[in-house]
Amino acid sequence: MESRHAAWLNSLLGQSLVPDFAPVEAPIDQGLTLTRLAEFVTDPRSTFPSFDTTVVSDKNNFFVLDFILFLEYIESTFYAVNVPRFAVIL
């Protein structure tokens, strides 16, 4: 999904949607994801959700959903800040 969002931003900049036909859609580990996001989370009340990839349970499924929702909040903030910087208003 994120590669599709990046392609959309590239289109706003008049760039190739997928530069040099780079491979997309490869998943990354949740720990690496959280490490990369940590510097952008400045609210001290925030916690970093995580889930166990080896556990099948309703409780763990909710942890997965919390993780995805956390990423969506980060993403929406990113777009709220950056899209106006690059969008052309007609």
Side-chain angles (χ1 to χ4, degrees):
M1 183 56 68
E2 301 313 314
S3 60
R4 293 181 182 118
H5 295 160
W8 179 74
L9 289 174
N10 287 346
S11 74
L12 289 178
L13 297 172
Q15 298 175 0
S16 172
L17 298 183
V18 181
D20 301 320
F21 298 101
V24 294
E25 308 287 337
I28 61 173
D29 179 80
Q30 68 174 310
L32 179 59
T33 301
L34 293 174
T35 300
R36 290 181 178 173
L37 293 173
E39 67 182 282
F40 301 105
V41 179
T42 57
D43 188 333
R45 297 170 296 173
S46 296
T47 59
F48 292 101
S50 64
F51 56 94
D52 188 336
T53 58
T54 65
V55 173
V56 177
S57 70
D58 287 341
K59 184 176 181 179
N60 196 54
N61 288 343
F62 281 105
F63 291 149
V64 171
L65 292 173
D66 286 344
F67 183 79
I68 293 168
L69 183 59
F70 174 79
L71 297 180
E72 290 301 321
Y73 281 130
I74 296 291
E75 182 179 30
S76 68
T77 301
F78 171 84
Y79 283 121
V81 169
N82 290 293
V83 168
R85 294 174 52 196
F86 297 104
V88 176
I89 300 174
L90 302 177

